[in-house]
Amino acid sequence: MQLVIEWVTNIILFLLFAVIIDFLLPSGTMQKYVKMAVGLMLLLVMLAPVLRLASVDPEQLVASALARVSDGREGEEEIKNQIEQQKKEIQASQRAYILEQMAVQLENDANEELMEKYGLKADVNVYAKPRDDWRMPDDIKTIEVVLSKQRPAGAVEPVVIDTTKPPASSEGDVSLAEEVRAFLAGRWEIDEDKIDVQFRGRE
């Protein structure tokens, strides 16, 4: 009789304990796992007399059940991390595509007038700041513009080698690069400091 009273008392006390835990825990994933663990422990408390007769250690079973719950949480965390990593990879791919398309649009917008004014063609690359939420054009870090001189189709530029003259100075290229940078800044409505102009084959 004493064994039955002790068994019922343990069940009642455990239920009170479970109710208190349920009130204290915030809602979320943690609550789900705690409820699972509490349910397993309640089952073990109810089966305690049978387990005692079968000479099975309840504490060992509780430890094993909690370990499985912990493993389940770790597995779920790993899945979440994998999903987050895939999400970042997809976002990076989308951003790379957006920057590529932006560069193409900038080229198309400027090249016709560059050809008419300066006889130049621009190859454009756009680089943005590493942010989760882009705000264009504020988050553009650099627009790299590589200029190359163009000649009309079929035209052949004569090659003249004069060893009596020193190599041509790059001051003209610097001046032209500054002029093109100012032109592109106005054309694209972006700060000149964000535009890096270079000539192909020159540093």
Side-chain angles (χ1 to χ4, degrees), residues 11 14-15 17-19 21-22 25 30-47 61-62 65-66 69:
I11 292 175
F14 187 83
L15 288 173
F17 172 75
V19 170
I21 290 295
D22 187 57
L25 279 175
M30 178 67 72
Q31 189 180 48
K32 179 177 67 174
Y33 288 112
V34 171
K35 284 185 175 181
M36 183 186 301
V38 169
L40 290 172
M41 293 173 69
L42 176 60
L43 182 62
L44 291 174
V45 170
M46 296 178 66
L47 295 176
L61 289 178
V62 170
L66 292 178
V69 171

Side-chain angles (χ1 to χ4, degrees), residues 133-152:
D133 51 334
W134 276 356
R135 294 182 181 178
M136 293 300 178
D138 295 340
D139 286 334
I140 291 178
K141 184 179 180 181
T142 306
I143 299 178
E144 182 184 76
V145 180
V146 181
L147 299 173
S148 56
K149 293 184 178 180
Q150 302 292 304
R151 293 190 299 272

Side-chain angles (χ1 to χ4, degrees), residues 29-30 32-34 36-37 40 61-81:
T29 306
M30 178 67 72
K32 179 177 67 174
Y33 288 112
V34 171
M36 183 186 301
L40 290 172
L61 289 178
V62 170
S64 177
L66 292 178
R68 291 182 180 179
V69 171
S70 177
D71 291 341
R73 289 186 57 197
E74 291 177 0
E76 183 169 338
E77 287 297 324
E78 184 177 353
I79 292 173
K80 286 182 179 179
N81 291 336

Side-chain angles (χ1 to χ4, degrees), residues 17 51 55 71 93 137 184 193:
F17 172 75
L51 295 174
S55 299
D71 291 341
S93 177
L184 294 176
D193 294 336

Side-chain angles (χ1 to χ4, degrees), residues 73-126:
R73 289 186 57 197
E74 291 177 0
E76 183 169 338
E77 287 297 324
E78 184 177 353
I79 292 173
K80 286 182 179 179
N81 291 336
Q82 290 177 353
I83 293 174
E84 188 65 25
Q85 182 63 30
Q86 291 177 353
K87 179 181 176 183
K88 290 180 179 179
E89 291 176 358
I90 292 172
Q91 287 178 341
S93 177
Q94 290 176 339
R95 290 174 180 177
Y97 177 77
I98 291 171
L99 292 178
E100 183 180 351
Q101 293 303 309
M102 186 181 298
V104 171
Q105 290 178 4
L106 292 176
E107 285 180 9
N108 294 337
D109 182 61
N111 267 333
E112 183 176 351
E113 198 164 349
L114 277 175
M115 179 65 69
E116 293 177 357
K117 284 188 173 183
Y118 307 102
L120 297 172
K121 177 181 180 297
D123 292 318
V124 179
N125 290 306
V126 181

